[in-house]
């Protein structure tokens, strides 16, 4: 049981060292900072330079960008599965070839569906 609790002691010691390092950094910052910080006009504004913001921060995003990202991830995953499969293709039997053909066919159907719905147009 002693070995089990030693692991917790190690974690607690590392946690204590981390807290001491962070506390020391904050303490050194408090000691070394200037006592009278710069209070120039506009110093605490949202933007220190450039134009003042006049409108809200709301901006709508079109759904087609998410569709492009989703399709990219989909075909990146396909590539992740196809490359190792191509390496071990020589040692595999007919069942693996059929499974991979089904996998590629399902992905091709998804691409065909996105193409038919005009989701791949960049306009």
């Amino acid at each position: 049981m002693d070995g089990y609790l030693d692991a917790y002691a190690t974690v607690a010691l590392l946690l204590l060292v981390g807290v001491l390092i962070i506390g020391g950094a904050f303490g050194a910052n408090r000691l070394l900072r200037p006592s009278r910080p710069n209070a120039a006009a506009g110093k605490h504004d949202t933007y220190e330079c450039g134009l003042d913001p006049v409108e809200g921060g709301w901006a709508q995003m079109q759904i087609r960008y998410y569709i492009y990202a989703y399709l990219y991830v989909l075909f990146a995953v396909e590539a992740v599965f196809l490359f190792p499969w191509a390496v071990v293709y020589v040692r595999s039997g007919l069942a693996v070839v059929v499974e991979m053909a089904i996998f590629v066919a399902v992905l091709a159907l998804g691409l065909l569906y996105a193409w038919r719905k005009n989701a791949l147009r960049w306009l």
Side-chain angles (χ1 to χ4, degrees):
M1 191 70 168
D2 290 332
Y4 182 73
L5 293 178
D6 286 342
Y8 284 114
T10 304
V11 170
L13 180 66
L14 287 174
L15 184 65
L16 178 68
V17 168
V19 167
L20 287 176
I21 289 173
I22 291 172
F26 277 116
N29 183 24
R30 182 174 282 269
L31 290 174
L32 298 175
R33 71 178 183 187
S35 60
R36 289 179 35 193
N38 187 3
K43 179 69 176 173
H44 297 293
D45 286 348
T46 304
Y47 298 99
E48 294 181 10
C49 63
L51 299 174
D52 291 332
V54 291
E55 294 189 21
W58 178 255
Q60 289 186 340
M61 191 80 156
Q62 293 185 8
I63 191 68
R64 86 172 49 110
Y65 300 124
Y66 293 108
I67 292 173
Y68 288 131
Y70 180 71
L71 289 173
Y72 171 76
V73 168
L74 183 73
F75 289 107
V77 169
E78 177 188 13
V80 165
F81 283 123
L82 281 178
F83 285 130
W85 175 78
V87 171
V88 297
Y89 172 69
V90 176
R91 293 180 279 169
S92 59
L94 183 62
V96 176
V97 174
V98 171
E99 289 174 7
M100 190 53 65
I102 292 171
F103 175 70
V104 171
V106 168
L107 290 175
L109 282 175
L111 181 63
L112 180 66
Y113 177 78
W115 181 56
R116 296 282 290 172
K117 290 291 185 177
N118 290 328
L120 301 177
R121 280 192 306 149
W122 189 272
L123 293 177

